[in-house]
Amino acid sequence: MIRTILICSLLALSAPALASSFAGSSAGASSAGSSASSGSTSGDDKVVLRARDDAASFVASEGRIRGARLEAALRQLRERDPAARKASDMQLAQAILAL
């Protein structure tokens, strides 16, 4: 569930500036989010939610401060979502903050 919200937030935040880079990925993002099993997402959600402070530092420092929790969340998101693989670290950090 959090992953679906994250992907939707990511697409909403990046659509105006980077519409061409996400062309064709929104359909894949929605199917990826809906195919996740409910048993595996609770731990995933915690990793992403715990990365919010690190994401805030990353965004505020324009990418110069990279915390371990943010790194773990970015890695996890990219392992599970094709749309996240195409997104920059900054876009994913901003999406984490939007949760």
Side-chain angles (χ1 to χ4, degrees):
M1 170 115 171
I2 293 290
R3 225 181 349 207
T4 302
I5 294 168
L6 177 66
I7 294 302
C8 291
S9 298
L10 173 64
L11 293 173
L13 289 171
S14 62
L18 300 168
S20 63
S21 68
F22 284 96
S25 66
S26 60
S30 62
S31 64
S34 64
S35 66
S37 69
S38 61
S40 66
T41 58
S42 62
D44 299 349
D45 297 347
K46 289 179 184 178
V47 170
V48 173
L49 291 174
R50 288 180 182 156
R52 290 194 71 196
D53 287 342
D54 283 1
S57 296
F58 182 80
V59 171
S61 70
E62 297 178 347
R64 289 185 295 274
I65 299 173
R66 302 180 68 94
R69 287 184 177 177
L70 176 62
E71 291 295 333
L74 295 176
R75 187 171 36 258
Q76 185 170 30
L77 289 169
R78 288 191 172 118
E79 286 174 358
R80 290 177 169 81
D81 283 305
R85 290 181 200 124
K86 297 177 183 179
S88 71
D89 290 351
M90 184 62 71
Q91 290 168 322
L92 291 176
Q94 290 170 337
I96 290 169
L97 288 175
L99 294 176

